Amino acid sequence: MQELTHYINGEHVKGTSGRFADVMNPHTGEVQAKVPLANNAELEQAVAHAQAAQPAWGATNPQRRARVLMKFVDLLNRDMDKLAEVLSREHGKTVPDAKGDIQRGLEVVEYCIGAPQMLKGEYTDSAGPGIDMYSMRQPLGVTAGITPFNFPAMIPMWMFAPALACGNAFILKPSERDPSVPLMLAELAEEAGLPKGLLQVVNGDKEAVDAILYNQTIQSIGFVGSTPIAEYIYGTGCSQGKRVQCFGGAKNHMIVMPDADMDQAADALIGAGYGAAGERCMAISVAVPVGDETADRLIEKLVPRIEKLKVGPYTDGDDVDYGPVVTAAAKANIERLVQSGVDQGAKLVVDGRGFSLQGYEDGFFVGPHLFDHVTPDMDIYKTEIFGPVLSTVRAGSYEEALKLAMDHEYGNGTAIFTRDGDTARDFANRINIGMVGINVPIPVPLAYHTFGGWKKSVFGDLNQHGPDAFKFYTRTKTVTSRWPSGLKEGGEFHFKAMD
Ligand code: NAD
């Protein structure tokens, strides 16, 4: 049995807490490795190394720091196949999906190579006689990130690339369910020239998270995961005086107008609803056709497409649509919610219950499900299922569809499918959701824009990546300076222009 490690000060370090978690192979249901769960002492070791390494890194010019990231991008490309294989084996997503996970992280690293431009600061010449004023962005010091299982490459990179580009040290506490790729990323960063102690991986569960939350050296925490944990981390982190940004769960609606291209809408729902087994925070989990006729046409298009989906292990190649969900507990939770949908009166149009894959009977595979006639009071509507389950809520009008999405507690992403520009524009302007797609089902912004939801999908002010990341990982200092040219003859200061 493989025993994974932490990555502290450039070394793979064995866990000393005596506590471990199982890392499963979701395809077979077998334990494939043990990951150590850090205690406070282990976290403190990492913090001490980070604190020692950060000042020199923070004082390194931004262009040199960016060159390390440039090299890191090369190494990610070099090792793409290897990283994707490990990612698929632990997470369960297909190889193309795993490569997408790495690629979307890599793009943020590329964006952060522009740090010298982003960190230039502001300057006002002659704010008064002989007086100049300038603002600079300085690193926070030691920063930390806590990441979810569903994007074990992308989300750590979304955090550590800007943190490092801004001159910080970063401690990553990845998900204990798929920690291998984060460990590999830390090794690669060092191979790219990052000095030891600047990117460390401390594996663990709540105990390690609490150690981070209460550590007085750590200045900021980035979190991505479920909403209850996001809320806990935001509240506790803020009470400890830290800068915190937390991104939580989602229930993303896709509104289908009667004038939409129905084939395009159905294809979009297949990818966005069932891709990665629905384990994406930007997955579409609710289809909202407007009008019964639209709903009937949409369901008619969806059913054969869903029945054709190939569920299987990543080793079966590119024609696999999605793989297993991450753990037995995740599978059981999906099954429980599907049953609640049936019990509460939704119509299960495609029934994926009892799905089993020959040769992988103990794996965590879940068949695709499609519900129709779902209503807002049902648990399958209110809860984030995080599985291959699409719910259809029929709306009588555009206004009703809009209100439905607006009234949901989550506000991560949404989409509208229509051929009408006025409707699309109205939707984009009025909806209270952070990321909006117009005939685009998964509107994940590119690296140079920012990513973030609204409502219970986010806690904090700034989004991930894009310009916001440079704000989150730096503090602004503003200097006002006065030099002798501001002196009047006779040595008296001349304040008038400042008054
Ligand atoms: P999770 O909340 O269970 O875990 C996230 C992290 O929190 C992990 O590192 C985990 O070890 C830690 N954690 C778990 N329980 C904890 C506790 N009681 N106290 C302290 N820390 C704890 O989330 P997950 O299952 O890994 O990921 C799926 C969730 O993440 C979904 O809700 C999904 O929508 C969300 N997500 C959101 C975004 C976004 O940008 N909004 C992106 C990806 C995933």
Side-chain angles (χ1 to χ4, degrees):
M1 171 79 51
Q2 192 193 2
E3 185 180 316
L4 299 174
T5 59
H6 306 298
Y7 193 76
I8 296 179
N9 201 31
E11 309 281 342
H12 283 280
V13 176
K14 281 192 163 207
T16 55
S17 72
R19 293 199 310 125
F20 291 88
D22 291 339
V23 179
M24 307 303 295
N25 179 335
H27 308 85
T28 61
E30 289 163 346
V31 179
Q32 58 172 316
K34 295 229 172 258
V35 61
L37 302 175
N39 57 21
N40 189 47
E42 289 168 297
L43 186 266
E44 279 185 348
Q45 274 177 27
V47 171
H49 291 300
Q51 205 174 8
Q54 189 275 327
W57 179 246
T60 300
N61 82 54
Q63 205 160 2
R64 276 176 193 259
R65 294 199 300 252
R67 280 188 203 125
V68 172
L69 296 182
M70 245 184 257
K71 178 79 178 143
F72 180 61
V73 168
D74 288 345
L75 299 180
L76 287 172
N77 281 316
R78 182 195 73 188
D79 287 0
M80 180 69 82
D81 290 344
K82 193 163 83 183
L83 288 161
E85 207 274 332
V86 173
L87 200 159
S88 292
R89 188 160 18 98
E90 276 186 6
H91 176 285
K93 61 175 80 173
T94 63
V95 171
D97 239 9
K99 288 188 175 169
D101 187 331
I102 299 159
Q103 178 65 26
R104 291 309 287 264
L106 182 157
E107 288 168 11
V108 169
V109 184
E110 284 176 333
Y111 171 71
C112 291
I113 292 168
Q117 167 71 12
M118 300 304 292
L119 296 173
K120 274 191 322 200
E122 293 171 332
Y123 191 89
T124 302
D125 175 55
S126 298
I131 295 177
D132 305 317
M133 202 174 278
Y134 60 95
S135 304
M136 49 187 169
R137 296 202 156 273
Q138 296 195 318
L140 303 176
V142 180
T143 60
I146 299 155
T147 52
F149 81 86
N150 69 328
F151 282 99
M154 179 184 84
I155 294 176
M157 285 192 260
W158 283 10
M159 295 181 185
F160 73 65
L164 294 171
C166 291
N168 300 287
F170 188 87
I171 296 174
L172 173 65
K173 204 304 284 170
S175 170
E176 61 275 42
R177 295 178 212 159
D178 46 12
S180 291
V181 168
L183 288 165
M184 291 164 80
L185 294 177
E187 266 182 277
L188 283 183
E190 212 172 291
E191 189 183 337
L194 186 71
K196 292 183 198 311
L198 290 167
L199 177 58
Q200 302 179 92
V201 180
V202 173
N203 282 305
D205 57 2
K206 181 171 170 28
E207 190 172 337
V209 170
D210 284 345
I212 291 171
L213 283 168
Y214 290 102
N215 185 284
Q216 293 307 305
T217 303
I218 293 174
Q219 299 294 307
S220 76
I221 299 179
F223 171 86
V224 178
S226 58
T227 286
I229 312 297
E231 215 162 355
Y232 167 69
I233 288 176
Y234 190 71
T236 314
C238 288
S239 77
Q240 294 302 302
K242 299 188 195 313
R243 184 177 291 194
V244 191
Q245 60 174 186
C246 294
F247 299 86
K251 195 78 180 174
N252 304 317
H253 295 56
M254 180 170 129
I255 286 145
V256 182
M257 296 299 292
D259 66 352
D261 178 323
M262 220 44 76
D263 284 304
Q264 204 185 75
D267 287 340
L269 280 169
I270 295 298
Y274 300 95
E279 290 176 320
R280 291 181 181 135
C281 69
M282 288 292 277
I284 295 287
S285 47
V286 185
V288 190
V290 172
D292 274 333
E293 201 202 321
T294 311
D296 293 341
R297 280 162 59 215
L298 184 66
I299 297 281
E300 195 182 302
K301 299 268 183 200
L302 280 172
V303 171
R305 285 169 166 82
I306 296 170
E307 285 170 348
K308 265 203 257 150
L309 284 172
K310 182 158 185 246
V311 183
Y314 72 97
T315 42
D316 274 9
D318 286 357
D319 60 334
V320 172
D321 289 297
Y322 71 83
V325 297
V326 69
T327 55
K331 180 176 173 177
N333 188 46
I334 295 164
E335 289 171 347
R336 178 184 64 76
L337 281 159
V338 166
Q339 193 52 47
S340 81
V342 173
D343 295 345
Q344 290 171 13
K347 184 172 170 197
L348 190 54
V349 182
V350 177
D351 186 353
R353 288 177 296 180
F355 180 87
S356 175
L357 199 63
Q358 209 185 349
Y360 296 91
E361 288 79 2
D362 294 330
F364 311 137
F365 292 92
V366 179
H369 298 75
L370 175 66
F371 277 109
D372 194 3
H373 298 285
V374 174
T375 52
D377 55 318
M378 293 178 184
D379 290 339
I380 50 168
Y381 179 74
K382 290 189 282 193
T383 316
E384 180 182 40
I385 302 175
F386 229 51
V389 182
L390 181 64
S391 296
T392 310
V393 181
R394 294 173 174 234
S397 65
Y398 164 68
E399 287 296 333
E400 199 182 310
L402 179 74
K403 184 172 181 326
L404 187 76
M406 290 186 70
D407 285 350
H408 204 284
E409 65 170 340
Y410 292 123
N412 214 35
T414 188
I416 186 165
F417 273 62
T418 178
R419 288 189 173 100
D420 185 88
D422 276 347
T423 310
R425 188 168 184 278
D426 183 78
F427 182 74
N429 281 328
R430 286 168 66 198
I431 195 78
N432 57 357
I433 289 174
M435 292 172 281
V436 182
I438 296 171
N439 298 318
V440 172
I442 306 191
V444 176
L446 290 176
Y448 39 93
H449 288 265
T450 70
F451 179 107
W454 288 13
K455 299 188 275 183
K456 287 269 184 186
S457 297
V458 74
F459 300 85
D461 307 317
L462 293 168
N463 277 354
Q464 301 195 82
H465 64 68
D468 277 12
F470 288 92
K471 293 188 183 141
F472 185 74
Y473 286 108
T474 55
R475 284 189 178 98
T476 305
K477 184 181 281 175
T478 306
V479 179
T480 306
S481 71
R482 181 166 54 194
W483 290 100
S485 62
L487 292 176
K488 271 185 171 177
E489 266 178 50
E492 196 187 321
F493 277 102
H494 171 52
F495 285 111
K496 278 236 158 60
M498 287 290 283
D499 294 340

